[in-house]
Amino acid sequence: MYRILTASALGALALTAAACAPVIGSHGYQALEAAPADVAIGTDTKTTVRDRLGTPSATSLFEGEDIWYYISQTTEKYTFNLPQVSQRSVTEIVFEGDKVASVRTLGLEDGRDVAMNRNETPTRGRQLTILEQLLGNVGRGQLPRTDEDAPGQRRPD
């Protein structure tokens, strides 16, 4: 009897320990054959970078197609908690003309938190209650009474 209780307690302990393992997710650019940091400054062009690394995750909005970003991140999620970013890598490749001018790699520590503004824009008009919404169209329209009221419709005879 003592062995059965010990075995059950060890089994429950093993299941509890397995439930505490995080679920790890990898998102974004995954470097398979070549890393973005291996790009040679001054010799590589847009076509060689695209052939070696693939299309970028994002391009710059303000400089056109002159800055490419390769973004990847790893998240860890424990049981019922929200996922937490454990690792992030952003590689910025700047082009001058067609040649690579600079390559910079940024990590998680280089990021900044941005506080979002939670204010709402008010909508014009009045707010209706549920009853007003349900019964709002009752009595607004009338059904035609005669043939003259509804041209083009036939009455069933």
Side-chain angles (χ1 to χ4, degrees):
M1 182 67 174
Y2 180 71
R3 285 187 152 177
I4 293 173
L5 288 174
T6 305
S8 334
L10 287 176
L13 183 64
L15 286 175
T16 304
C20 293
V23 176
I24 297 175
S26 297
H27 307 281
Y29 177 76
Q30 303 296 319
L32 298 176
E33 297 174 7
D38 296 338
V39 174
I41 297 172
T43 57
D44 280 331
T45 62
K46 288 183 180 182
T47 55
T48 59
V49 171
R50 185 175 284 127
D51 290 344
R52 189 180 310 158
L53 303 176
T55 57
S57 303
T59 58
S60 176
L61 294 175
F62 301 109
E63 285 83 16
E65 293 287 321
D66 290 339
I67 300 177
W68 290 1
Y69 298 100
Y70 290 90
I71 305 166
S72 66
Q73 74 178 13
T74 303
T75 59
E76 293 180 358
K77 181 179 187 291
Y78 290 93
T79 329
F80 298 108
N81 298 329
L82 292 174
Q84 299 292 321
V85 178
S86 61
Q87 184 180 22
R88 181 179 295 137
S89 172
V90 178
T91 302
E92 174 188 65
I93 302 175
V94 179
F95 294 97
E96 284 183 5
D98 195 39
K99 299 279 186 186
V100 175
S102 67
V103 177
R104 183 170 65 153
T105 303
L106 306 170
L108 187 61
E109 63 280 351
D110 296 318
R112 287 185 261 160
D113 287 331
V114 177
M116 303 299 275
N117 190 350
R118 297 286 180 197
N119 295 338
E120 295 180 7
T121 304
T123 56
R124 301 288 181 230
R126 63 185 199 119
Q127 293 188 354
L128 302 175
T129 64
I130 293 176
L131 249 142
E132 288 175 331
Q133 290 176 14
L134 291 174
L135 301 175
N137 289 327
V138 174
R140 287 197 180 172
Q142 293 181 347
L143 296 175
R145 290 183 218 127
T146 62
D147 286 338
E148 294 87 31
D149 290 345
Q153 293 184 1
R154 291 184 62 186
R155 289 179 52 184
D157 292 317

